[in-house]
Amino acid sequence: MVTGAVVTAPGLSSYLKSLKSTPVEPSVEHLISLLKRRQIRNSRPCAVATLALLSRVVGEFKGRDAAKLVERIRQIGRRLTSAQPREVVVGNIIRRVLGLVREVVEDNVEAVTEATSDAGQSHPAHHDSLHRPQLISSISTFSPLKHASAEPMDSSSHYSENMSDSGEMSKRPPLLTSHTSYAPTSTAPLVNSLFGLFSHPDTPSASNTPTGVQPPDGKGTLTSLNLERLADSSHSRFDLKGEVMNGIQEIQDELEQTDDSIADNALHHIHSNEIILTHTASSTVQKFLLAAARKRKFTVVHVETHPHDHTATHSILLTGKKRDAEDDEEDSWKPLRSAGIQVVMIPDSHVYAIMSQVNKVILATHTVLANGALVAASGARMIASAAKAHQTPVVVVSGLYKLSPVYPFDIDELIEYGDAGSVVPYEDGDFVDLVDVENPLYDYVPADLVDLYITNLGGHAPSYLYRIVADHYRTEDINL
Amino acid sequence: MSDAPNGGAVQPPASPLPEASSKTPSQAEGDAKNANAEGAEGAPKLSGAELKKRAKADKAAKRAAAKATEAPLEPKGLAPKEAQQQQKGSKQPPKDDKSRPLPLRRRPSNPTVPPAKEHKVQPKKEKKQTGLFFGHLYSQPRQHSIVGATKDVHPAVLALGLQYSSYVICGSTARMVAMLLAFKAVIESYQTPVGTSLARHLTSHHLSPQIDYLRSCRSLSISMGNAIRWLKDLIIKIDPSTPEAEAKRDLIMEIDNFIRERVTVADQLISEAAIKKIESGDVILTYGSSSIVEQSLLKAHSNDIPFSVIVVDSKPLYEGKRLARNLAKHGIKVRYFLISGAAHAVKDASKVLLGAHAMMSNGRLYSRVGTALVSMLAKSQSLPVLVLCESVKFTERVALDSIVGNEIAPAEELLSETERQALLPFKPKPDGKAEGETEGSADTSKEVLQWIEGAQNLQILQVLYDVTPAEYITMVITEYGSLPPSSVPVVHRLSTNI
């Protein structure tokens, strides 16, 4: 993440670098201006930047009041989302972190309730724990994991990852180093919580709930429980922050591993000698196809997505890199064609002509909405419609972080319009004067055109997405 | 001369290319010359099979000659002839082409890329898996020069061929009209050799090389095919006793009539029918550029019907740009989208007017690639899709998909100059070379092109047409009236039987 590369234009990497040395408030302003100027754009960079900022905010947060922390994150979230409402991912990440804080608070209440068998606890933020798979909460008793992984299998893998945390450190140094550097003030408690989760000496109920020491700050401060455990309150403050930081770390890990865990599904969906149509330069799709290419031979038809993404598309096909200059290891991989996959590039206009030959359409997305629809690079709508007309299945690959609880009441609101100069160059002066040139960057694809979503949790029907939304976001956070 | 004197020129049809390429340039040139000499001697009787043979040989020689031109050591024999031919071509522009304002379309790809390059990379490309879907269409590279054209080809036709291959004359109707006008010039300068009659000689021996040359420049449009069939039929039916001058005059008159009846007047009828469909406040969406759509819209505008137009366009020809500009200059409010934004464009439209390359007998529309997408999106928005098409573009051919019959466009046309420039930073630098190489734009774009050409397992596919299913089309407006797509075969029979 923090490489030595010299980046002249402000962007994600320069922001992450500056985040270490800048105080929180200017950092928030900085991110807002970057979002407004579209210098950080597209889902993943936005998600990474927001999460980094939030981990900084939580790290700097002083006080023991969870409600105040929630309010603080909320307020930053409001500012960020209003800076760039169409980058829905920013809001998603804010909501995830908010949910995380609430979860931490709740779980501790639960734990305490269990420990003292006090049934008289009623908690405002306790809406759907009944409907959640109980298995998860029993496996990962330290709550943040619940957010990062709703599936039992996944959570156990996360569990083991955290158990062998030192091993993780060597595997993914950038995150951890940056992580600690974002939150210099909280380093000691964080490390304490990372390594000492299971050997917490002064936990009264360490057997089943290692972090049960924390009281529900701000919500139940005056309950008898808190009075009982007044002595532990000094630790509990650290643990709130520590656990939230821990959870943010989990989300960061999830972001990093999204592509890989989506790619794990590839072999279930791509068979040999298939002809697959895809569009835009998406690292998720490329890695998905690459994973399948290791075992199978198939053909990829790549739509070039003129006029806003064609250069990236061409270069991803030729070199496997989206951008030059940025030498992120994360950002470059072997191009499909050198994995022995025959790639045919076609202009956007050829979609219908070619579709009769295509077995499967794989779309990348910008945002997935709660009703199963998606917002993707323009051209996606016609690809999906053409696929529907030919009864070709449409598969959307998307990280969970792109899944948004927003319901699209106004579709046009979600569509961003780009530089008309890339459609007709401004040298063509009289044309630009005479004619309204429009360049929509995104398309809204209704849910009925999509057959399957593949996220890092596996495959879902579009109609099931609402459930995943409910698993990952709190209803009280949907309106920031 | 029924038998070609040198065996080299007549090749088995199976493998013309490898043998041609195995020849030395000078030898190939000799072949080409021989073939030309034969043509000049003009031996009176050639059977169809022999003609075909000769055409094959010509093609092979042509290709070899093209290779020879880009070989560093140019054979001496070539220079004078080539120069002479080029002179001919430039000296005599098609006189009649200007008589009808033809849509001028800029060829978007870089003209500085020499055509010779294409020939050089062609064999390599063919080794690469060409055309996953359209392999059957990659038969012969498009001719971009008059090098190697047989001597029989009339200068007007030579020039026309170049205009075809560079998209200067583009569009089914425009190409057909231009061809007929060029043929008028051909017929005018035609003289029946002694011992044969015009009816017998003109079609098979004089028109055929012209048509072959045009086909080598760009495959014939369906309207051109229809026109050629009509013309041949006309010539064959000429009474052998008619004096030559009279026959020629009659032919030229007939051609003029044909253009007037089937195109000019038909266009008027169609556009009159079309403007009845345009209501005030309509937002008309059109795709690409069609002369008949443009004519109708302008007529509707001059009839003071308030409406606006959305032009959807696509790479690489950007035909809609010219249409949009022209409409806007006449004061029509125009919005311009590229095909990737078509879903948004369709949302705001109230009617779709499309031009056609051809109407298939199963009611499907064969038109510029992308038309199917636009009509599909329009259909999903329940917009009426009206196709404006002269009956001369109707064909008895049928098609189910866009794969079987189509026209391949050269892949390098896809990437415009600026796109190539944008790609340059991505190109991995060869280890030996330093960063400091800053060449001219021609060099860099060539470099990028070569890079893409050389890229293993990567192929750029570009076709020109697609087939729109009949269910997306609400109505076809022809000079015979407005009909559903299912009536196309009936009208076709009607129009050919007259």
Side-chain angles (χ1 to χ4, degrees):
Chain A
M1 198 175 288
V2 190
T3 54
V6 183
V7 182
T8 45
L12 177 64
S13 48
S14 70
Y15 178 71
L16 292 179
K17 245 189 280 175
S18 78
L19 200 56
K20 274 193 287 182
S21 49
T22 329
V24 170
E25 206 44 44
S27 291
V28 176
E29 288 298 329
H30 189 190
L31 183 56
I32 286 173
S33 63
L34 284 176
L35 284 174
K36 273 188 180 162
R37 290 190 220 119
R38 315 297 285 124
Q39 278 159 337
I40 292 184
R41 53 180 307 155
N42 293 336
S43 297
R44 188 189 312 263
C46 283
V48 170
T50 313
L51 204 53
L53 176 70
L54 283 185
S55 97
R56 185 79 206 275
V57 167
V58 174
E60 298 258 298
F61 180 71
K62 295 206 170 57
R64 57 183 77 176
D65 195 344
K68 272 189 184 150
L69 182 56
V70 166
E71 196 34 57
R72 169 95 173 118
I73 295 172
R74 244 194 158 146
Q75 172 231 337
I76 289 173
R78 249 174 265 143
R79 285 164 67 195
L80 289 181
T81 45
S82 60
Q84 193 46 261
R86 289 192 191 94
E87 292 289 3
V88 186
V89 169
V90 173
N92 294 352
I93 294 292
I94 301 276
R95 290 185 187 102
R96 287 280 290 271
V97 175
L98 280 174
L100 186 70
V101 177
R102 293 183 200 277
E103 193 88 3
V104 167
V105 172
E106 258 174 52
D107 264 29
N108 288 319
V109 172
E110 267 173 45
V112 170
T113 333
E114 277 169 34
T116 58
S117 31
D118 184 347
Q121 279 291 321
S122 66
H123 205 277
H126 201 73
H127 71 299
D128 62 353
S129 63
L130 269 180
H131 306 287
R132 282 170 197 241
Q134 284 303 305
L135 191 57
I136 293 159
S137 46
S138 62
I139 286 182
S140 57
T141 33
F142 41 112
S143 55
L145 292 184
K146 194 185 260 183
H147 283 273
S149 53
E151 218 175 52
M153 248 172 54
D154 253 20
S155 66
S156 60
S157 74
H158 281 296
Y159 187 77
S160 59
E161 268 164 25
N162 256 45
M163 295 277 281
S164 58
D165 216 355
S166 53
E168 280 297 296
M169 198 112 99
S170 60
K171 211 171 96 190
R172 291 194 303 272
L175 252 185
L176 270 187
T177 47
S178 61
H179 175 66
T180 43
S181 58
Y182 297 153
T185 52
S186 69
T187 306
L190 172 64
V191 169
N192 195 19
S193 70
L194 273 176
F195 294 111
L197 274 175
F198 300 98
S199 56
H200 219 293
D202 50 359
T203 309
S205 54
S207 55
N208 61 345
T209 54
T211 54
V213 285
Q214 191 193 334
D217 278 350
K219 302 258 157 94
T221 23
L222 287 178
T223 59
S224 57
L225 275 172
N226 279 329
L227 291 173
E228 264 178 51
R229 293 158 62 266
L230 206 62
D232 290 329
S233 64
S234 60
H235 289 283
S236 66
R237 191 183 70 213
F238 288 148
D239 275 336
L240 167 69
K241 214 152 84 175
E243 280 196 37
V244 172
M245 291 300 277
N246 205 359
I248 290 177
Q249 169 84 56
E250 281 297 336
I251 300 177
Q252 275 174 336
D253 286 356
E254 184 200 314
L255 272 185
E256 243 192 19
Q257 292 164 353
T258 296
D259 283 351
D260 295 329
S261 40
I262 291 173
D264 287 343
N265 296 303
L267 286 177
H268 299 295
H269 296 284
I270 295 174
H271 60 73
S272 287
N273 298 325
E274 234 177 347
I275 295 173
I276 291 179
L277 184 137
T278 181
H279 77 149
T280 69
S282 153
S283 54
T284 313
V285 173
Q286 293 296 309
K287 283 181 181 164
F288 187 80
L289 295 175
L290 264 180
R294 279 201 289 271
K295 288 263 174 65
R296 290 172 195 162
K297 287 278 165 277
F298 50 94
T299 306
V300 173
V301 179
H302 208 121
V303 185
E304 71 169 335
T305 331
H306 188 75
H308 54 271
D309 212 15
H310 57 282
T311 308
T313 307
H314 295 161
S315 71
I316 213 169
L317 291 181
L318 283 163
T319 64
K321 257 194 295 185
K322 266 197 222 182
R323 294 164 279 268
D324 62 330
E326 265 180 72
D327 286 324
D328 277 343
E329 309 87 53
E330 222 192 315
D331 218 30
S332 80
W333 54 90
K334 216 166 60 158
L336 268 177
R337 57 184 190 84
S338 55
I341 298 299
Q342 176 78 26
V343 181
V344 181
M345 189 169 75
I346 58 168
D348 303 73
S349 48
H350 291 43
V351 168
Y352 199 92
I354 300 295
M355 193 56 83
S356 60
Q357 305 295 303
V358 171
N359 296 92
K360 207 162 276 167
V361 175
I362 297 185
L363 292 181
T365 136
H366 177 70
T367 307
V368 181
L369 302 166
N371 64 346
L374 67 137
V375 177
S378 72
R381 170 67 187 268
M382 65 181 191
I383 293 173
S385 304
K388 196 83 187 166
H390 288 91
Q391 300 292 326
T392 310
V394 177
V395 178
V396 176
V397 292
S398 158
L400 264 187
Y401 64 94
K402 291 182 183 171
L403 181 57
S404 165
V406 174
Y407 186 86
F409 290 108
D410 184 4
I411 292 159
D412 291 335
E413 209 170 54
L414 297 163
I415 306 301
E416 185 179 342
Y417 280 73
D419 177 17
S422 59
V423 177
V424 180
Y426 289 117
E427 297 93 74
D428 209 347
D430 62 328
F431 189 88
V432 180
D433 280 348
L434 286 167
V435 178
D436 267 348
V437 181
E438 295 185 36
N439 180 18
L441 294 185
Y442 298 118
D443 262 357
Y444 173 82
V445 183
D448 57 340
L449 295 180
V450 179
D451 293 283
L452 186 71
Y453 278 96
I454 298 177
T455 68
N456 25 350
L457 299 184
H460 318 285
S463 53
Y464 182 71
L465 284 186
Y466 83 97
R467 199 72 194 83
I468 300 172
V469 166
D471 277 345
H472 285 79
Y473 304 99
R474 298 303 196 85
T475 34
E476 57 264 45
D477 292 330
I478 284 175
N479 293 315
L480 278 174
Chain B
M1 63 132 262
S2 51
D3 285 327
N6 62 330
V10 183
Q11 282 165 9
S15 59
L17 182 59
E19 276 192 49
S21 54
S22 67
K23 275 182 215 159
T24 64
S26 56
Q27 191 192 342
E29 180 46 37
D31 291 344
K33 265 171 125 184
N34 277 336
N36 288 342
E38 290 155 27
E41 278 149 34
K45 275 160 222 131
L46 273 182
S47 72
E50 281 159 350
L51 252 176
K52 257 184 209 163
K53 254 189 195 172
R54 207 183 69 169
K56 269 259 155 58
D58 278 350
K59 271 179 202 165
K62 235 182 276 166
R63 226 171 294 163
K67 257 194 198 71
T69 53
E70 51 94 15
L73 281 176
E74 207 168 284
K76 288 283 172 281
L78 178 64
K81 190 189 74 135
E82 195 192 343
Q84 182 204 353
Q85 262 192 352
Q86 256 156 5
Q87 245 181 7
K88 243 201 226 166
S90 57
K91 235 190 269 168
Q92 288 193 321
K95 314 149 217 165
D96 300 323
D97 277 355
K98 297 289 173 284
S99 61
R100 183 190 141 88
L102 291 165
L104 286 181
R105 277 158 211 167
R106 207 169 42 91
R107 190 178 167 219
S109 71
N110 179 17
T112 59
V113 179
K117 204 201 139 272
E118 186 188 304
H119 295 285
K120 196 173 73 189
V121 297
Q122 208 62 42
K124 199 174 78 189
K125 235 190 101 189
E126 272 169 7
K127 245 181 273 159
K128 222 167 117 173
Q129 190 197 346
T130 42
L132 166 69
F133 309 117
F134 295 94
H136 55 289
L137 295 175
Y138 283 93
S139 50
Q140 195 193 348
R142 199 182 279 177
Q143 180 92 2
H144 280 299
S145 70
I146 57 171
V147 177
T150 54
K151 201 164 152 278
D152 289 343
V153 179
H154 192 273
V157 176
L158 283 177
L160 182 64
L162 294 187
Q163 283 170 314
Y164 281 174
S165 71
S166 60
Y167 303 112
V168 172
I169 294 179
C170 191
S172 179
T173 320
R175 275 161 72 196
M176 182 197 78
V177 171
M179 181 192 71
L180 285 178
L181 293 176
F183 281 176
K184 258 170 70 181
V186 171
I187 290 169
E188 241 165 60
S189 60
Y190 171 77
Q191 276 180 340
T192 319
V194 271
T196 180
S197 65
L198 181 136
R200 285 186 166 187
H201 183 261
L202 178 59
T203 30
S204 52
H205 298 180
H206 198 65
L207 277 183
S208 292
Q210 326 279 345
I211 295 165
D212 284 343
Y213 173 72
L214 288 181
R215 186 179 287 133
S216 77
C217 291
R218 205 184 144 184
S219 46
L220 302 180
S221 76
I222 280 170
S223 54
M224 283 162 76
N226 284 345
I228 288 169
R229 208 167 304 133
W230 164 82
L231 186 62
K232 282 184 172 172
D233 200 44
L234 195 71
I235 293 172
I236 286 170
K237 280 183 187 153
I238 290 176
D239 187 358
S241 60
T242 324
E244 189 184 315
E246 196 181 309
K248 277 159 71 176
R249 203 192 57 221
D250 283 351
L251 273 179
I252 288 168
M253 210 182 67
E254 282 292 335
I255 290 177
D256 280 338
N257 272 342
F258 183 84
I259 294 175
R260 188 164 54 241
E261 273 174 25
R262 305 297 298 271
V263 181
T264 317
V265 178
D267 278 1
Q268 277 169 12
L269 287 171
I270 292 170
S271 59
E272 263 157 34
I275 58 173
K276 283 185 197 138
K277 307 286 178 226
I278 300 176
E279 288 157 12
S280 86
D282 260 350
V283 181
I284 307 291
L285 185 135
T286 181
Y287 178 72
S289 172
S290 151
S291 53
I292 175 74
V293 169
E294 178 176 355
Q295 203 178 320
S296 309
L297 291 176
L298 288 179
K299 208 181 251 181
H301 181 66
S302 60
N303 284 8
D304 286 333
I305 304 170
F307 67 98
S308 70
V309 175
I310 299 177
V311 177
V312 181
D313 204 359
S314 71
K315 279 177 78 175
L317 290 174
Y318 295 110
E319 294 166 294
K321 238 182 213 182
R322 196 198 52 80
L323 172 71
R325 176 180 283 130
N326 203 5
L327 292 178
K329 274 191 183 143
H330 283 84
I332 302 174
K333 191 178 173 305
V334 182
R335 292 164 73 199
Y336 181 84
F337 284 82
L338 287 184
I339 183 83
S340 51
H344 298 274
V346 165
K347 240 183 277 169
D348 301 336
S350 63
K351 264 182 198 107
V352 179
L353 287 191
L354 295 173
H357 179 90
M359 284 301 300
M360 301 283 191
S361 271
N362 53 348
R364 299 199 173 206
L365 165 68
Y366 185 72
S367 191
R368 178 68 65 233
V369 59
T371 308
L373 277 173
V374 171
S375 33
M376 172 192 70
L377 291 168
K379 173 80 180 176
S380 70
Q381 299 272 331
S382 310
L383 299 182
V385 178
L386 313 179
V387 176
L388 311 186
C389 183
E390 300 95 343
S391 68
V392 71
K393 294 198 252 185
F394 285 18
T395 174
E396 75 285 348
R397 271 169 56 186
V398 290
L400 289 174
D401 59 16
S402 323
I403 311 282
V404 178
N406 213 323
E407 185 180 342
I408 294 286
E412 67 265 16
E413 284 172 7
L414 181 64
L415 296 182
S416 71
E417 184 63 28
T418 45
E419 283 165 358
R420 291 175 199 163
Q421 294 290 344
L423 269 179
L424 195 65
F426 295 103
K427 191 172 186 281
K429 294 274 184 297
D431 297 329
K433 276 188 190 172
E435 292 278 321
E437 41 175 348
T438 44
E439 291 135 281
S441 64
D443 278 345
T444 54
S445 73
K446 217 163 128 186
E447 206 180 310
V448 171
L449 264 189
Q450 273 165 359
W451 177 38
I452 293 173
E453 284 285 355
Q456 201 83 55
N457 283 334
L458 179 66
Q459 183 209 340
I460 296 178
L461 176 70
Q462 217 203 329
V463 297
L464 287 178
Y465 301 106
D466 65 8
V467 172
T468 308
E471 66 255 32
Y472 296 152
I473 299 164
T474 321
M475 184 192 275
V476 184
I477 301 180
T478 74
E479 67 262 37
Y480 291 96
S482 307
L483 24 112
S486 52
S487 302
V488 166
V490 181
V491 171
H492 180 61
R493 270 183 58 181
L494 219 75
S495 67
T496 45
N497 283 354
I498 286 171

